[in-house]
């Protein structure tokens, strides 16, 4: 009896699907606002890799691709920020994605513009989109790529109306310059997560601060 083993070429081996989600609000009214930085980052990454989004029956614009020998699903929920969890939960189940293979790009008030931070699990920091996702998938253990948008007037205020107006407002001209340069770095973060893993990516990018450029 032969003991020879046959191995599939690496490109045919079954790999776990990754789901990458950018958070934002649908519609022209919200395009380019601070809360839509997740959409902006994902759109730039998709354009770079010739990925085209299409409407799906789930409340999200989605695309399926294979990058770095991995099966990928990209999604921009169209349910408005506070209800992001419903389409994300459905996509996880539809594509059989494990929560640890979910990556969510979103705005973060506690980081200044020009900063990013990658982490897995932990508190939502009050982010309603993240809260919605946690509620629908029953775990916090997914990867977040936090993109700093700062707070109004650099204050620690938590007045709800002020926060809402701020996150739904446009970036200032100076902020737009930082955001323009930061968005491609978020794409590099995604590539690093896919090829090098979480720990290496955190070490490489969590110190990013474009405000300190010469």
């Amino acid at each position: 009896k032969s003991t020879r083993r046959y191995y599939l070429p690496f490109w045919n081996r079954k790999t776990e699907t990754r789901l990458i989600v950018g958070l934002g609000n649908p519609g022209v009214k919200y395009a380019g606002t601070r809360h839509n930085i997740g959409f902006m980052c994902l759109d730039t990454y998709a354009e770079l890799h010739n990925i085209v989004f299409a409407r799906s029956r789930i409340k999200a614009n989605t695309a399926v691709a294979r990058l770095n020998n991995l099966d990928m699903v990209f999604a921009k929920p169209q349910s408005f920020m506070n209800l992001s969890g419903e389409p994300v939960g459905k996509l996880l189940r539809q594509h059989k994605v494990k929560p640890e293979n979910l990556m969510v790009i979103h705005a973060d008030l506690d980081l200044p513009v020009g900063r990013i931070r990658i982490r897995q699990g932990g508190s939502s920091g009050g982010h309603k989109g993240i809260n919605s996702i946690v509620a629908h998938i029953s775990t916090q253990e997914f990867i977040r790529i936090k993109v700093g948008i700062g707070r109004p007037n650099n204050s620690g205020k938590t007045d709800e109306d002020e926060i809402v107006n701020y996150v739904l407002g446009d970036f200032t001209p100076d902020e737009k310059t930082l955001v323009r340069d930061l968005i491609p770095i978020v794409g590099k973060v995604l590539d690093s997560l896919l090829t090098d893993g979480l720990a290496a990516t955190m070490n490489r990018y969590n110190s990013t601060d474009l405000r300190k450029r010469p």
Side-chain angles (χ1 to χ4, degrees), residues 7-16 66 69-71:
Y7 295 96
L8 288 172
F10 71 88
W11 57 83
N12 283 333
R13 292 177 189 164
K14 185 173 179 57
T15 58
E16 295 177 350
R66 188 164 176 82
N69 297 310
L70 295 171
D71 293 320

Side-chain angles (χ1 to χ4, degrees), residues 77-152:
Q78 301 295 294
S79 55
F80 287 95
M81 181 69 74
N82 297 359
L83 302 174
S84 298
E86 180 182 350
V88 172
K90 288 180 178 179
L91 285 166
L92 280 178
R93 293 188 292 274
Q94 178 181 329
H95 295 278
K96 299 179 180 179
V97 178
K98 296 178 180 179
E100 58 265 33
N101 290 330
L102 167 64
M103 307 172 197
V104 180
I105 309 167
H106 66 89
D108 192 289
L109 284 162
D110 294 323
L111 289 175
V113 179
R115 289 288 313 276
I116 53 177
R117 183 172 297 154
I118 306 101
R119 67 179 296 181
Q120 183 173 29
S123 167
S124 69
H127 193 289
K128 293 182 179 179
I130 296 297
N131 282 338
S132 178
I133 292 172
V134 170
H136 278 81
I137 71 174
S138 301
T139 181
Q140 296 180 338
E141 295 306 310
F142 55 91
I143 295 171
R144 301 98 182 270
I145 303 167
K146 304 179 178 187
V147 184
I149 60 170
R151 286 186 176 272

Side-chain angles (χ1 to χ4, degrees), residues 5-191:
R5 295 180 181 179
Y6 295 91
Y7 295 96
L8 288 172
F10 71 88
W11 57 83
N12 283 333
R13 292 177 189 164
K14 185 173 179 57
T15 58
E16 295 177 350
T17 301
R18 270 68 172 174
L19 172 60
I20 298 179
V21 175
L23 295 186
N25 289 305
V28 175
K29 177 181 178 181
Y30 300 104
T33 60
R34 293 182 177 92
H35 229 187
N36 274 37
I37 191 68
F39 280 7
M40 295 160 66
C41 290
L42 205 53
D43 282 338
T44 298
Y45 188 80
E47 184 177 357
L48 180 65
H49 293 281
N50 298 313
I51 295 167
V52 179
F53 286 95
R55 293 182 181 180
S56 67
R57 293 180 180 178
I58 295 172
K59 295 177 183 177
N61 291 343
T62 62
V64 177
R66 188 164 176 82
L67 297 176
N68 301 311
N69 297 310
L70 295 171
D71 293 320
M72 311 292 302
V73 179
F74 299 89
K76 296 185 292 180
Q78 301 295 294
S79 55
F80 287 95
M81 181 69 74
N82 297 359
L83 302 174
S84 298
E86 180 182 350
V88 172
K90 288 180 178 179
L91 285 166
L92 280 178
R93 293 188 292 274
Q94 178 181 329
H95 295 278
K96 299 179 180 179
V97 178
K98 296 178 180 179
E100 58 265 33
N101 290 330
L102 167 64
M103 307 172 197
V104 180
I105 309 167
H106 66 89
D108 192 289
L109 284 162
D110 294 323
L111 289 175
V113 179
R115 289 288 313 276
I116 53 177
R117 183 172 297 154
I118 306 101
R119 67 179 296 181
Q120 183 173 29
S123 167
S124 69
H127 193 289
K128 293 182 179 179
I130 296 297
N131 282 338
S132 178
I133 292 172
V134 170
H136 278 81
I137 71 174
S138 301
T139 181
Q140 296 180 338
E141 295 306 310
F142 55 91
I143 295 171
R144 301 98 182 270
I145 303 167
K146 304 179 178 187
V147 184
I149 60 170
R151 286 186 176 272
N153 303 316
N154 296 315
S155 71
K157 294 180 181 179
T158 55
D159 179 81
E160 186 68 19
D161 289 339
E162 184 180 21
I163 292 298
V164 169
N165 290 334
Y166 179 76
V167 299
L168 297 182
D170 293 330
F171 290 102
T172 67
D174 287 344
E175 290 172 342
K176 285 180 180 178
T177 299
L178 289 171
V179 168
R180 180 199 65 202
D181 294 342
L182 191 66
I183 286 176
I185 297 176
V186 174
K188 293 178 180 179
V189 167
L190 289 175
D191 286 334

